[in-house]
Amino acid sequence: RKEVEQDPGPFNVPEGATVAFNCTYSNSASQSFFWYRQDCRKEPKLLMSVYSSGNEDGRFTAQLNRASQYISLLIRDSKLSDSATYLCVGSGGYNKLIFGAGTRLAVHP
Amino acid sequence: ETGVTQTPRHLVMGMTNKKSLKCEQHLGHNAMYWYKQSAKKPLELMFVYNFKEQTENNSVPSRFSPECPNSSHLFLHLHTLQPEDSALYLCASSQYSTGTVSNEKLFFGSGTQLSVL
């Protein structure tokens, strides 16, 4: 079983749509979780951390469900510029982050 | 600009060549990492250095040899690579966490796209 598992997509959505990604993790001891964004042929960049209480940053909302071992990312009012691959990341031990393979989002006019 | 600079951006090498990838960070971080990203696969952690000391070697073949002369610079020396080593090699840095919980946020360089012929 993969340590961090994501639906690869692609998710094709129109502008203005709301889209949600889920990610599951296998290590119940994982403490820290993040969402990174990676544009085509670019490096990953931190989008947001995921806290136990959930957190929101503008149109983006991240939530953590420890009981079911999954995290989610909700994007409201999708923009063309949101098109990218979204990487789910969990801590796999001290100083060690485990990345999912990513979920590709394509927002079209 | 993330504050992490990698060179070269692109590299083509034969299986008998020796080359080095370079990474420099200007963020004052004290942890540096090498990751490998192959097409449609998750990023694979290769090496971790904290305060210049290697703290993680994720079963990487010896044809990849890292070097960390100080907290700002990281190298990856390559020799006798195989075609399956072709990938994007990403350097990252973070602030070393002294607690028991790992909550580092990684800052990546632009990567070196490596092709082994």
Side-chain angles (χ1 to χ4, degrees):
Chain A
R1 183 183 171 187
K2 296 177 184 175
E3 291 190 70
V4 177
E5 200 149 4
Q6 299 181 247
D7 181 343
F11 284 63
N12 293 299
V13 303
E15 274 186 289
T18 295
V19 62
F21 310 136
N22 283 337
C23 160
T24 58
Y25 61 93
S26 60
N27 185 354
S28 59
S30 293
Q31 295 285 325
S32 309
F33 302 91
F34 308 89
W35 282 102
Y36 278 72
R37 169 192 169 134
Q38 186 171 24
D39 292 293
C40 189
R41 300 183 189 282
K42 300 274 189 164
E43 73 275 17
K45 292 184 179 177
L46 179 66
L47 178 66
M48 57 198 306
S49 302
V50 187
Y51 304 122
S52 296
S53 55
N55 52 309
E56 187 173 315
D57 183 3
R59 297 181 293 109
F60 299 83
T61 300
Q63 293 194 312
L64 167 64
N65 184 319
R66 287 194 184 274
S68 301
Q69 294 186 204
Y70 78 82
I71 69 173
S72 64
L73 177 68
L74 182 77
I75 305 176
R76 289 180 297 277
D77 189 22
S78 299
K79 311 290 185 191
L80 293 175
S81 56
D82 293 334
S83 298
T85 297
Y86 291 83
L87 308 175
C88 173
V89 186
S91 58
Y94 195 65
N95 249 19
K96 186 175 177 180
L97 295 182
I98 306 297
F99 283 75
T103 298
R104 195 152 63 87
L105 171 66
V107 182
H108 57 83
Chain B
E1 183 60 49
T2 63
V4 180
T5 304
Q6 281 188 250
T7 55
R9 292 293 303 272
H10 302 274
L11 179 62
V12 179
M13 58 188 288
M15 289 190 284
T16 58
N17 291 159
K18 289 184 180 181
K19 296 286 184 183
S20 295
L21 310 184
K22 179 183 176 183
C23 178
E24 183 176 358
Q25 58 96 2
H26 309 276
L27 300 169
H29 291 160
N30 39 40
M32 295 189 77
Y33 310 75
W34 280 116
Y35 278 87
K36 174 184 177 183
Q37 188 174 34
S38 303
K40 299 190 187 300
K41 289 187 177 180
L43 271 75
E44 300 172 49
L45 179 64
M46 299 176 73
F47 302 104
V48 181
Y49 279 82
N50 288 308
F51 294 101
K52 305 188 302 179
E53 299 298 319
Q54 187 181 117
T55 55
E56 182 85 26
N57 177 336
N58 203 23
S59 304
V60 180
S62 59
R63 58 185 183 270
F64 295 91
S65 174
E67 178 189 358
C68 189
N70 55 60
S71 293
S72 299
H73 293 85
L74 185 64
F75 296 89
L76 188 62
H77 304 298
L78 317 171
H79 64 98
T80 59
L81 294 191
Q82 305 297 311
E84 60 265 27
D85 296 323
S86 299
L88 179 67
Y89 289 85
L90 291 158
C91 172
S93 71
S94 73
Q95 192 60 38
Y96 180 73
S97 177
T98 57
T100 57
V101 174
S102 172
N103 61 355
E104 301 87 350
K105 297 173 185 177
L106 297 178
F107 293 80
F108 285 90
S110 300
T112 295
Q113 186 65 54
L114 174 67
S115 297
V116 181
L117 304 178

